[in-house]
Amino acid sequence: MGHRSPVDAPAALRIVGIGASAGGLVALEEFLQRIPADGGMACIVVQHLDPTQKGLLPELLQRVTEMPVWAAEQGMRIEPGHVYVIPPNTELTLVGTTLHLAEPAEPRGMRLPVNILFSSLASGQGERAIGVVLSGMGSDGTAGLQAIKAVGGLTAVQDPESAQFDSMPRSAIEAGCADIVATPSELPGRILAVMAHPSEAGAGSDETPPPEAASPLERVVTLLQQRIRHDFSLYKPSTLKRRAERRMAIHGLASLEQYAEFVEHNSQEGELLFKELLIGVTSFFRDPATWEYLAGTVLPELLERRKGEDKLRAWVIGCSTGEEAYSLAMVFTEVMERVPDPHGVTLQIFASDLSPDGIATARRGQYPLSIADDVSPERLARFFTAHERYYQINQDIRDMVLFAQHDVILDPPFTKLDLIACRNLLIYFGPVLQRRLLPLFHYILRPGAVLFLGTSETVGQFNHLFTPIESRLRFYQRQDHVPMGGRDFLLRAFPPLSGPNKEHPVSSTEVSSRPPDELQAAADQVLLQVYAPAAVVLNGEGDIVYVSGHTGKYLEPAAGKANWNIFAMAREGLGGPLASAMKKAATSDHPVHLHSLEVPTHAGVQRVDVTVHAFHDPSPLRGMTMVIFRDLAPSSAGHGGRSPKGKGGRPAAHAAELQQYRAEIESLREEARTSRQESQAANEELQSANEELQSSNEELNSSKEEMQSMNEELQTINAELQAKLDDLALAQSDMQNVLNSIDIAILFLDQNLHVRRYTEQAAKIFRLREGDVGRPLSDLTTSLEYPELQDDARDTLRTLATSEKQITADDDRWFTVRIMPYRRVDNVIDGVVITMVDITETKRLEAALRE
């Protein structure tokens, strides 16, 4: 359940992945402006870019930050205080602290480069990963933030109100994977504050919090229990404190008292803390030596003990995203191939977890290509189907596992199990909860069954319930014929029914030393457990809240999501009569009795008497219903085994009545068969129509995503071009100011000798106005006595030779007129430049000197 350590990451380096799309340039500039160059952070920027255009993003971002901005290259090593930008038409991933570039696996319009970067960041950096989603269209980045959050990293999202396009930020927020929501200019400060918080810097302690911190922590736990229905009060305080301190750092809160107030007035924070407390990291075949021992010793011995049975049952508790459950299914499949005489034994695996997101991922059975580090090539080839970006678990393995969202603390457990895998979950529970769950595991395991714990867990004081098979690898076998150790075992073992004083098992010496009233209670409890019939207690919705005795002959868990409603669990022959009896009992003061109900079992048909009793008193049981099952002996079904043969007409009447019942049953079966066929035909038609609609919907979605991607790329290009236009406008203003400040008349002409640009001094000489741009030189009137001006300009265009003459004007001023070729930056001649320098004073001085 621990997180993978970052690979080759310097202790001070924190890598921030930034994803943006349409409208993201302004947000990126605001974000990077406020990142200090010496803060120990490196930024990797991924934006949706046009694959056919050269990227301008690095030079645009370099204008607003002191950190060096680089276009990412293959094998480039990340350094603190630098910014790395994805090039066009590539996928950018992080391996350790090195950048890797690859060609996009998906066609244009279907690419999700932000998710790809964030997923690699989560895998490589673990809880040190930081992901930021800024303005953009679509939902790219949401899945990546979920991956970062799952490993304990930090996630930040731009406030949708401040985003030019809010689809990407809003998608991340609605998915519940945003730790920080703020404007781009505020996000850097919030992130730096989290990095500087003591819990992030390693100040968190494994010790129990001091008394003054216990009260607000208990308030937080109580609020979680009220809002989310999960009780964290029996978790280790150090686990709760570390997770709460992390949330405090995110919100900039200094004390647990402040955080308790914040949770009380913010319902969404309770949900975020709940997800934070779930440990959701696992892998295939974690601790390989344990899986080798399971395959080589534990499973073969278990199969030998279960010889003659056709089905085994296992429960993987805290399965997270399903890797451990699928690992067990693969190992069992391999073992069955090596067993000499397998007899067609199958394994039904129940896999449960609190996290709905983890269960959804497990049900999909899609895992990243990085699982090749944990799964051998032989198993990958056999149990998975390889795709371009993920591995898909094969259907035969998927069918072996039933995933369910289930709370091992509050929900009724699975029963009659041959193996329980509860690895690295008990270490997060306090000792009181561990003392309650381990006896419960013993109760729900069959004789000779196996308990499989994590490497940091043991059965502790319950070594009388479990015998070590291999203690170093944490395999234990259930001890049979062991007393449960107390008259309140089920109440103590099942936390929802636990009382405050039912903590410790009761030994025989304790019983012998009790006063008479307690001895009577203990004896009553033995009579209840040994001789009382099987029974269940139901709440108002028909959900089972308490089980007494062995009810497996009458009830069994239904396939699919865990459902503890009695109508879903009742075996064939009980559901209908139970529903009617419960309705009748709810309005009656007396129990309702059902006689001789037939229940199919493995050994044949069992006749059962059922009693349904609705409680109106005492107050703890008010509104609940008890259902009691009593087996009938085979002889009771025939009323003593005698048939009244003395009356001649009775056998014939019984035969006729029996024949009538058979005819009615056959008629009902025929009607049911016809109805089923009609329903099946209608269902097939609806299924066909649904597939057609789904196909059309997928095509429309594909077209929509392609158009959306094109639109985002155009938005990005537009933003870059707008920035270039702003630069050009500024450069033009600078040039105009320079030309006007040098007090020289300059006239720019194109190749056809048409006016392109001029200075204010040239406008006075040629009498130019704004509307004269584009007019030919020959149409202009000038004060210069220079009729050869146009011919000299053409000669300069033809010969590329500079012409310079001293010309007088009609107002007795003198000018040096120079005609030069106009040369562009790409070395192409595109007109001429005529400069006119006033030399009147020089001429007057020259004349005076001559005189």
Side-chain angles (χ1 to χ4, degrees):
M1 306 290 282
H3 300 306
R4 183 178 298 175
S5 299
V7 180
D8 300 331
L13 175 63
R14 295 299 291 268
I15 300 176
V16 183
I18 308 171
S21 185
L25 180 59
V26 175
L28 283 168
E29 290 176 343
E30 292 180 8
F31 184 89
L32 293 176
Q33 274 179 340
R34 289 163 177 80
I35 295 288
D38 57 352
M41 297 169 63
C43 299
I44 305 176
V45 178
V46 171
Q47 194 174 25
H48 295 175
L49 302 173
D50 185 346
T52 63
Q53 300 290 328
K54 179 184 177 182
L56 303 174
L57 194 56
E59 54 190 89
L60 295 176
L61 296 180
Q62 188 64 81
R63 302 177 311 175
V64 299
T65 178
E66 297 177 358
M67 297 185 291
V69 182
W70 301 93
E73 297 178 0
Q74 175 67 21
M76 182 177 283
R77 190 169 182 83
I78 300 293
E79 297 181 11
H82 288 64
V83 180
Y84 304 89
V85 179
I86 186 174
N89 201 34
T90 57
E91 286 181 352
L92 178 60
T93 55
L94 184 71
V95 178
T97 56
T98 304
L99 296 175
H100 282 248
L101 302 179
E103 293 185 3
E106 298 293 333
R108 183 177 180 181
M110 306 291 289
R111 300 169 184 170
L112 302 172
V114 183
N115 281 341
I116 292 171
L117 172 67
F118 286 178
S119 297
S120 69
L121 195 60
S123 300
Q125 297 295 306
E127 60 185 12
R128 295 177 59 82
I130 302 174
V132 180
V133 166
L134 302 176
S135 171
M137 299 174 66
S139 60
D140 191 13
T142 299
L145 288 186
Q146 289 174 332
I148 291 176
K149 194 168 180 64
V151 298
L154 179 65
T155 58
V157 176
Q158 180 179 358
D159 185 349
E161 298 298 325
S162 67
Q164 186 176 352
F165 294 90
D166 64 358
S167 297
M168 279 174 56
R170 200 171 294 281
S171 172
I173 293 171
E174 290 174 352
C177 55
D179 291 330
I180 302 173
V181 178
T183 62
S185 58
E186 296 171 346
L187 285 175
R190 299 280 296 275
I191 293 172
L192 290 168
V194 173
M195 291 171 56
H197 196 275
S199 65
E200 281 288 316
S205 161
D206 286 338
E207 299 177 358
T208 302
E212 61 269 17
S215 179
L217 195 61
E218 288 174 1
R219 283 176 57 197
V220 171
V221 169
T222 302
L223 289 168
L224 286 178
Q225 188 172 7
Q226 292 171 353
R227 294 175 183 174
I228 304 176
R229 204 188 71 87
H230 184 72
D231 184 9
F232 287 98
S233 61
L234 298 179
Y235 275 50
K236 285 185 177 177
S238 58
T239 300
L240 298 173
K241 186 171 182 289
R242 279 198 303 269
R243 297 293 172 169
E245 283 179 344
R246 173 178 164 75
R247 299 300 305 171
M248 288 162 53
I250 289 171
H251 296 292
L253 301 175
S255 67
L256 278 169
E257 289 83 353
Q258 293 178 350
Y259 184 65
E261 291 288 336
F262 183 73
V263 174
E264 186 172 358
H265 296 95
N266 189 329
S267 59
Q268 186 181 9
E269 177 62 21
E271 297 177 2
L272 295 174
L273 178 60
F274 169 69
K275 293 182 179 179
E276 191 84 32
L277 288 167
L278 300 182
I279 311 298
V281 181
T282 183
S283 62
F284 285 98
F285 303 102
R286 185 173 39 174
D287 305 324
T290 61
W291 291 98
E292 291 174 6
Y293 190 80
L294 177 71
T297 303
V298 176
L299 285 180
E301 291 179 355
L302 181 62
L303 288 169
E304 182 65 25
R305 290 195 294 272
R306 299 290 190 259
K307 185 175 290 186
E309 300 184 14
D310 58 355
K311 189 172 186 179
L312 303 181
R313 291 158 59 91
W315 184 13
V316 179
I317 306 173
C319 69
S320 187
T321 48
E323 287 91 333
E324 198 155 88
Y326 288 132
S327 298
L328 177 59
M330 287 184 270
V331 166
F332 181 81
T333 302
E334 293 171 344
V335 169
M336 289 303 296
E337 292 177 349
R338 298 197 298 265
V339 173
D341 188 14
H343 298 295
V345 181
T346 61
L347 176 66
Q348 174 66 68
I349 302 173
F350 302 97
S352 64
D353 197 89
L354 262 180
S355 170
D357 297 332
I359 291 296
T361 300
R363 284 173 176 159
R364 283 195 299 271
Q366 295 178 357
Y367 296 97
L369 301 179
S370 59
I371 67 169
D373 297 336
D374 304 314
V375 185
S376 66
E378 295 78 13
R379 283 173 171 158
L380 282 175
R382 179 177 176 190
F383 298 116
F384 294 86
T385 301
H387 295 266
E388 290 184 359
R389 291 173 53 191
Y390 62 88
Y391 286 105
Q392 174 72 55
I393 199 81
N394 287 348
Q395 192 62 39
D396 57 337
I397 299 297
R398 174 67 184 87
D399 291 341
M400 294 175 64
V401 187
L402 176 65
F403 291 101
Q405 186 182 351
H406 178 277
D407 188 340
V408 70
I409 300 176
L410 296 179
D411 293 332
F414 295 92
T415 58
K416 295 186 177 179
L417 300 169
D418 299 283
L419 185 146
I420 290 179
C422 182
R423 307 189 66 215
N424 300 317
L425 178 65
L426 296 179
I427 57 174
Y428 297 100
F429 295 162
V432 173
L433 187 54
Q434 291 184 19
R435 288 198 298 268
R436 293 180 179 181
L437 287 179
L438 285 168
L440 183 65
F441 292 167
H442 181 272
Y443 177 75
I444 61 180
L445 284 169
R446 296 174 62 197
V450 175
L451 176 64
F452 183 16
L453 298 180
T455 53
S456 302
E457 300 163 334
T458 66
V459 295
Q461 67 183 25
F462 295 102
N463 50 12
H464 63 289
L465 299 181
F466 297 96
T467 302
I469 300 174
E470 174 53 68
S471 57
R472 183 178 59 87
L473 300 178
R474 303 299 189 259
F475 287 101
Y476 300 89
Q477 183 175 342
R478 181 187 189 272
Q479 282 276 57
D480 304 330
H481 311 296
V482 176
M484 292 297 102
R487 58 191 175 89
D488 294 326
F489 160 68
L490 279 179
L491 292 177
R492 285 185 290 103
F494 189 41
L497 303 176
S498 301
N501 299 318
K502 295 169 183 175
E503 297 286 341
H504 305 286
V506 182
S507 66
S508 58
T509 58
E510 289 174 329
V511 171
S512 63
S513 62
R514 285 179 172 174
D517 56 342
E518 291 199 14
L519 285 174
Q520 180 181 352
D524 290 343
Q525 188 66 22
V526 171
L527 290 172
L528 177 63
Q529 291 182 353
V530 177
Y531 299 105
V536 294
V537 178
L538 315 176
N539 62 16
E541 287 74 36
D543 296 326
I544 298 172
V545 297
Y546 179 71
V547 179
S548 175
H550 297 284
T551 59
K553 286 194 292 186
Y554 324 109
L555 308 173
E556 66 175 347
K561 184 178 179 181
N563 186 350
W564 300 102
N565 191 279
I566 192 168
F567 302 115
M569 297 180 63
R571 290 186 180 271
E572 183 182 353
L574 288 178
L578 270 178
S580 303
M582 287 180 64
K583 290 180 181 178
K584 186 175 179 181
T587 59
S588 173
D589 295 330
H590 303 286
V592 176
H593 301 282
L594 302 173
H595 298 289
S596 297
L597 299 181
E598 293 185 351
V599 180
T601 66
H602 295 296
V605 176
Q606 173 68 54
R607 290 184 176 274
V608 182
D609 281 352
V610 179
T611 300
V612 180
H613 187 188
F615 293 110
H616 304 288
D617 289 303
S619 57
L621 292 176
R622 187 175 296 131
M624 295 191 178
T625 303
M626 178 178 286
V627 180
I628 304 166
F629 305 94
R630 294 184 181 86
D631 287 349
L632 296 180
S635 60
S636 66
H639 304 285
R642 297 180 182 179
S643 181
K645 297 179 181 179
K647 298 182 181 181
R650 296 298 292 168
H654 285 167
E657 186 177 355
L658 183 60
Q659 185 64 30
Q660 179 183 355
Y661 286 155
R662 286 176 177 168
E664 291 177 358
I665 290 172
E666 189 62 33
S667 175
L668 289 173
R669 283 179 178 169
E670 189 63 33
E671 291 177 6
R673 192 180 300 112
T674 303
S675 176
R676 194 182 307 116
Q677 291 174 351
E678 294 174 353
S679 298
Q680 187 173 357
N683 184 50
E684 290 174 353
E685 293 177 3
L686 290 173
Q687 208 168 13
S688 176
N690 182 52
E691 289 175 356
E692 293 176 3
L693 290 173
Q694 189 172 354
S695 176
S696 302
N697 186 45
E698 289 174 355
E699 293 175 2
L700 290 173
N701 279 335
S702 177
S703 301
K704 177 187 174 183
E705 289 170 356
E706 291 177 4
M707 294 297 294
Q708 182 173 312
S709 176
M710 293 282 289
N711 187 35
E712 291 174 358
E713 292 169 3
L714 291 174
Q715 288 281 352
T716 303
I717 293 173
N718 184 51
E720 293 177 351
L721 292 177
Q722 185 61 48
K724 279 292 184 185
L725 286 175
D726 294 342
D727 291 345
L728 290 173
L730 182 62
Q732 184 176 358
S733 299
D734 293 343
M735 188 183 70
Q736 191 67 39
N737 280 281
V738 169
L739 292 175
N740 290 335
S741 65
I742 60 177
D743 199 25
I744 297 176
I746 305 177
L747 180 65
F748 296 89
L749 304 177
D750 60 18
Q751 290 188 349
N752 297 319
L753 300 185
H754 292 176
V755 176
R756 177 182 287 158
R757 191 190 301 274
Y758 56 87
T759 63
E760 293 180 2
Q761 292 76 8
K764 297 174 182 177
I765 297 174
F766 286 92
R767 300 177 177 85
L768 293 169
R769 295 174 298 179
E770 291 183 4
D772 290 332
V773 174
R775 289 183 60 188
L777 178 63
S778 58
D779 290 353
L780 303 180
T781 59
T782 176
S783 60
L784 297 175
E785 296 179 356
Y786 192 1
E788 304 87 4
L789 177 61
Q790 188 167 353
D791 294 335
D792 288 349
R794 291 192 185 280
D795 288 342
T796 296
L797 268 178
R798 180 170 49 82
T799 63
L800 305 183
T802 302
S803 169
E804 184 174 332
K805 295 181 180 180
Q806 295 182 352
I807 305 297
T808 184
D810 55 11
D811 55 358
D812 295 331
R813 288 190 299 165
W814 283 85
F815 294 91
T816 296
V817 180
R818 178 179 297 169
I819 306 175
M820 300 173 57
Y822 181 94
R823 194 181 301 272
R824 294 194 324 215
V825 292
D826 53 357
N827 203 28
V828 174
I829 303 302
D830 193 22
V832 295
V833 181
I834 303 175
T835 60
M836 291 149 282
V837 181
D838 191 340
I839 59 171
T840 303
E841 291 300 326
T842 304
K843 283 292 186 180
R844 288 176 182 172
L845 180 59
E846 183 182 342
L849 291 173
R850 282 202 183 106
E851 291 177 358

